[in-house]
Amino acid sequence: MTKTYEITGKFESEGNAQSLLYAPPAHPLTFRRTTRYLFEYDGSEAALDAFVQKVLVDPISQEYHNDGLPLWDNTTFILDYGMKGGALDLEKETILNYYRKLAEPGFELKKLTLKTRIYVFGEGADSSVFVRDIVNPAIHTWEVVLKTAA
């Protein structure tokens, strides 16, 4: 089975997308950033939920969503990017090491994938500019996963 968790800051708001780019965009754009954890697993979904709540979520400053749907409807596009399989991902390795030390986790973790998700808002946003300035093709995989009519 596969389950996706998306974690966002409770106190974060949209930021100026210019901070992500090397050159100012042609139109005013904003963004929100989240982290997505994709678990392929066997066993108890409740145990996986408990693991995520304990290990990945700060209950004071973060909230998580696990339905796999985009968090905001008014995005121009969403960019997902993460480390390639052979690249060192320290956060992923730390999570896996924690899991391996559990005596009885209640689920078997088959695969873990971490993605940074950037929601971009604003008319005239060009996803190719964001891909060019954010993604390093030597170490990242990426996908524009949603594009709506502006």
Side-chain angles (χ1 to χ4, degrees):
M1 294 180 277
T2 301
K3 190 161 183 185
T4 301
Y5 297 86
E6 188 165 0
I7 298 176
T8 184
K10 288 180 182 178
F11 309 112
E12 295 176 6
S13 59
E14 290 180 23
N16 186 337
Q18 182 173 341
S19 66
L20 301 174
L21 304 173
Y22 293 126
H27 306 283
L29 304 174
T30 58
F31 77 99
R32 299 232 14 205
R33 184 186 337 248
T34 67
T35 304
R36 299 182 80 222
Y37 300 86
L38 293 79
F39 288 85
E40 289 182 26
Y41 73 101
D42 285 332
S44 169
E45 183 174 345
L48 176 60
D49 286 344
F51 175 83
V52 168
Q53 289 177 21
K54 180 178 181 182
V55 178
L56 301 179
V57 180
D58 174 359
I60 295 171
S61 66
Q62 296 177 318
E63 55 189 16
Y64 78 97
H65 309 267
N66 60 8
D67 59 10
L69 298 173
L71 300 181
W72 297 282
D73 293 331
N74 58 338
T75 58
T76 305
F77 67 87
I78 298 170
L79 172 63
D80 275 351
Y81 68 97
M83 301 300 279
K84 285 185 175 179
L88 178 60
D89 186 335
L90 295 177
E91 181 181 6
K92 178 180 175 179
E93 290 304 314
T94 301
I95 295 165
L96 292 173
N97 285 335
Y98 183 90
Y99 167 78
R100 289 181 194 118
K101 291 178 182 176
L102 295 174
E104 293 186 33
F107 66 96
E108 180 184 355
L109 182 55
K110 303 282 191 179
K111 182 178 179 185
L112 173 61
T113 304
L114 282 64
K115 298 281 185 180
T116 297
R117 175 166 270 194
I118 298 177
Y119 293 83
V120 178
F121 310 93
E123 188 174 327
D126 179 2
S127 62
S128 67
V129 173
F130 285 80
V131 170
R132 178 196 69 208
D133 289 356
I134 295 170
V135 174
N136 179 342
I139 61 170
H140 291 135
T141 61
W142 62 271
E143 180 180 14
V144 175
V145 295
L146 173 73
K147 188 157 185 146
T148 59

